[in-house]
Amino acid sequence: MPAEAGTRPALDLQERLQRLNQIGVALSVERDLTVLLERILLEARGFTGADAGTLFLVSGDHLTFAIAQNDTLRSFVGGRYGQANIPPVPINRDSVSGYAATTGEMLNISDVYDPEWQRFEGPRNYDRMTGYRTRSMLVVPLRDHEGQVIGVLQLLNAVDPQTRQVGPFAADVVALIQSLASQAAVAITNVRLIRDTEALFESFVRVMATAIDERSPYTGGHIRRVAEMAHVVAEAVNRCAAGPLADVVFAADELNELRVASWMHDIGKITTPEWVVDKPTKLTTIHDRIELLRARYVGFMQAARVQALEQQLGGADPQAVAAACATEIERLHDELAFLEKANNPGEFMVDADLERLRQIAARTYMVDGQPVPSLSPDELLNLSIRKGSLTDAERRKISDHASMTIRMLEQIPFTRKLRRVPEIAGAHHEKLDGTGYPQGLRGDQISLQARILALVDIFESLSADDRPYRAEPMSREMVLGILKKEVDAHHLDADLHALFVDQQLYRELDRIKAQMVLERQQRS
Ligand SMILES: [Fe+2]
Ligand SMILES: [Fe+2]
């Protein structure tokens, strides 16, 4: 349709609807709330020819300023343009935007200086402060799908694109602006819903991680440190421009997927019995059974003394009986000392030690006329652990956490962008040569993300400050030495390891630990 002289070049209705449609599509794909708000204002101004505009969002009983654009003043504030110090507007009938939010009505003002509109002082105050001259104003409430007002769009000064004159907002534009406002409201609501869902999931993930970490005073914070270290390594992979990893670039979604997988990698530990997680001595179940053993040996010694007394009363040579009793008690002391030593997980048990344990276990003492074995079969089994504190069954129980992680995560309906979380998290104990668990995956079956997780998981665990079965923390040198051996044994990825060592990424762990100490101090 040709434009008439002196009027706006009228788009016909179909063109306007088409433009509206395009705007609707453009708004619906935007996922960043700040960008979306900027876009809504820009599109609304473009659609109506407004020289300036402001967008407010409902927040409780007031409107908070989101963004403002003013072409004439070349003033753009809020959102990505930068902070603005604009106070919230109460939702009442005292201001134009408050009025629109309260009543849900659109205000179409041809001149804010008309006596009819004098009751709203805001536009004139704005003019006084900025030197701007507000004339026409279109104030549109943004309603969501439930009809709730979630914001207010305030458009100033409709400019005729040909004459550049400011006039009232054109009737045909006004008729369609509500549609644009609805699309904007839906887009804002969608972005907020997605953001809220993500935030909810995020907090769930962190609560679970904290619950697992808090079960052990020794591994507290392990998950967070692993998550942060995994990110450090992934970022280094993205940065590296030479070598075998130069072509690998993790997209933002992949980094996020790795982050979530890291936070959830040990989720299966929630099912591991507490005493197994940190089993400090071989005899520990819910408590350290060495106390039972000590009490039992005190009983044996008492029984030996009673027997000696009985023999003396029976007429035996008192000196010989006393000497035999002393020898027996000394032997029991010695045996108990051996058992106490054997209970220490740091003690490496040689064949002779195991044989002595078997002999001890085979012995039964009469206490109060009842036969009492020195060791129960389970005590023998636990004390016979050659190295560390865990029996094979307990070791399996711990390894179970990896398959449990997979089982648990597979039940979560992850979104498309997070669909590989179970695979990445569940493979953190897999080894490239196929000797890992739970699935015995090998080589290419283990993704690079899972390899990153495996590397930092081992590194973090070895770097723990304190472990019940370790006398003192390992030096960095020792930790890196073990890591190298793991690479040489084809357990860990050599390229990632090279990056880890060459770029001294391991140093980041110190920064993370210091940060966590600081946060703990601030909390207490
Ligand atoms: Fe694990
Ligand atoms: Fe772990």
Side-chain angles (χ1 to χ4, degrees), residues 265-266 269 401 428-429 457:
H265 79 277
D266 273 338
K269 276 193 183 163
H401 83 270
H428 73 278
H429 287 298
D457 186 58

Side-chain angles (χ1 to χ4, degrees), residues 406-523:
I406 298 178
R407 272 172 63 190
M408 288 173 74
L409 295 186
E410 277 180 349
Q411 294 183 39
I412 297 178
F414 284 104
T415 54
R416 194 177 48 81
K417 289 177 182 169
L418 294 175
R419 68 185 184 282
R420 292 180 54 215
V421 165
E423 170 238 305
I424 299 168
H428 73 278
H429 287 298
E430 298 290 358
K431 295 175 178 173
L432 292 174
D433 66 351
T435 59
Y437 59 89
Q439 300 185 85
L441 300 177
R442 58 169 63 231
D444 289 346
Q445 293 174 311
I446 307 169
S447 67
L448 192 59
Q449 286 98 319
R451 295 178 193 200
I452 291 177
L453 202 43
L455 175 79
V456 297
D457 186 58
I458 294 186
F459 172 70
E460 204 292 321
S461 303
L462 293 172
S463 304
D465 296 331
D466 196 4
R467 283 286 160 108
Y469 42 78
R470 209 181 279 154
E472 54 185 39
M474 267 193 227
S475 67
R476 175 67 36 94
E477 220 181 348
M478 266 175 89
V479 171
L480 291 179
I482 297 176
L483 227 50
K484 177 79 176 71
K485 278 188 192 141
E486 288 292 305
V487 173
D488 293 342
H490 303 292
H491 293 169
L492 294 175
D493 186 286
D495 299 335
L496 286 174
H497 175 259
L499 195 70
F500 194 72
V501 174
D502 293 349
Q503 298 198 3
Q504 302 191 343
L505 301 179
Y506 49 81
R507 281 166 167 251
E508 286 293 298
L509 184 65
D510 305 330
R511 180 191 58 76
I512 295 165
K513 279 186 178 175
Q515 171 68 25
M516 286 171 79
V517 168
L518 199 73
E519 285 173 21
R520 211 174 306 133
Q521 283 166 351
Q522 281 166 352
R523 272 200 304 270

Side-chain angles (χ1 to χ4, degrees), residues 140-447:
V140 194
L142 304 185
R143 289 172 184 277
D144 67 8
H145 57 289
E146 288 174 336
Q148 290 287 324
V149 176
I150 62 155
V152 173
L153 188 59
Q154 204 172 274
L155 301 163
L156 308 185
N157 287 0
V159 178
D160 186 302
Q162 298 208 316
T163 64
R164 305 305 300 164
Q165 292 297 309
V166 173
F169 284 90
D172 54 349
V173 163
V174 172
L176 292 175
I177 190 71
Q178 197 62 61
S179 165
L180 193 152
S182 298
Q183 306 205 45
V186 169
I188 292 172
T189 306
N190 280 347
V191 169
R192 280 176 164 169
L193 275 176
I194 292 169
R195 194 189 55 187
D196 290 353
T197 310
E198 282 172 355
L200 183 71
F201 180 67
E202 189 73 31
S203 58
F204 161 75
V205 166
R206 281 171 195 251
V207 165
M208 291 296 279
T210 311
I212 294 156
D213 268 353
E214 288 293 318
R215 298 179 75 215
S216 157
Y218 299 101
T219 58
H222 162 76
I223 295 174
R224 173 171 162 192
R225 287 191 292 271
V226 165
E228 294 199 19
M229 282 305 290
H231 186 72
V232 164
V233 176
E235 292 264 84
V237 168
N238 277 4
R239 273 198 314 272
C240 97
L245 295 168
D247 292 339
V248 183
V249 178
F250 295 114
D253 284 343
E254 288 175 309
L255 287 178
N256 191 44
E257 199 170 40
L258 174 61
R259 194 179 58 81
V260 173
S262 312
W263 274 95
M264 303 193 102
H265 79 277
D266 273 338
I267 197 167
K269 276 193 183 163
I270 206 115
T271 63
T272 313
E274 204 139 338
W275 88 81
V276 178
V277 175
D278 278 335
K279 195 180 175 196
T281 69
K282 295 179 195 176
L283 283 175
T284 298
T285 47
I286 289 169
H287 57 89
D288 188 352
R289 287 174 291 168
I290 194 70
E291 293 304 334
L292 283 177
L293 265 186
R294 287 191 183 121
R296 195 178 304 150
Y297 269 73
V298 168
F300 294 162
M301 290 173 203
Q302 287 293 76
R305 287 192 192 97
V306 170
Q307 193 188 21
L309 282 175
E310 281 171 357
Q311 285 169 350
Q312 283 174 350
L313 287 173
D317 173 11
Q319 274 189 345
V321 168
C325 178
T327 309
E328 174 63 1
I329 286 174
E330 204 182 307
R331 195 191 59 74
L332 286 167
H333 271 300
D334 183 59
E335 208 165 276
L336 180 61
F338 169 72
L339 295 175
E340 282 172 336
K341 209 165 140 226
N343 188 35
N344 178 358
E347 202 59 36
F348 184 75
M349 304 289 280
V350 295
D351 288 346
D353 294 329
L354 297 183
E355 181 51 35
R356 185 172 177 195
L357 274 178
R358 268 193 293 277
Q359 283 171 9
I360 293 173
R363 197 172 277 157
T364 301
Y365 295 86
M366 292 303 286
V367 180
D368 295 335
Q370 298 291 325
V372 177
S374 331
L375 295 174
S376 70
D378 188 61
E379 287 164 350
L380 174 65
L381 178 82
N382 278 275
L383 288 171
S384 302
I385 298 165
R386 276 187 188 270
K387 201 177 158 202
S389 63
L390 299 171
T391 61
D392 288 347
E394 287 164 344
R395 214 173 279 284
R396 273 198 299 279
K397 196 106 205 78
I398 288 200
S399 309
D400 264 0
H401 83 270
S403 55
M404 194 47 85
T405 290
I406 298 178
R407 272 172 63 190
M408 288 173 74
L409 295 186
E410 277 180 349
Q411 294 183 39
I412 297 178
F414 284 104
T415 54
R416 194 177 48 81
K417 289 177 182 169
L418 294 175
R419 68 185 184 282
R420 292 180 54 215
V421 165
E423 170 238 305
I424 299 168
H428 73 278
H429 287 298
E430 298 290 358
K431 295 175 178 173
L432 292 174
D433 66 351
T435 59
Y437 59 89
Q439 300 185 85
L441 300 177
R442 58 169 63 231
D444 289 346
Q445 293 174 311
I446 307 169
S447 67

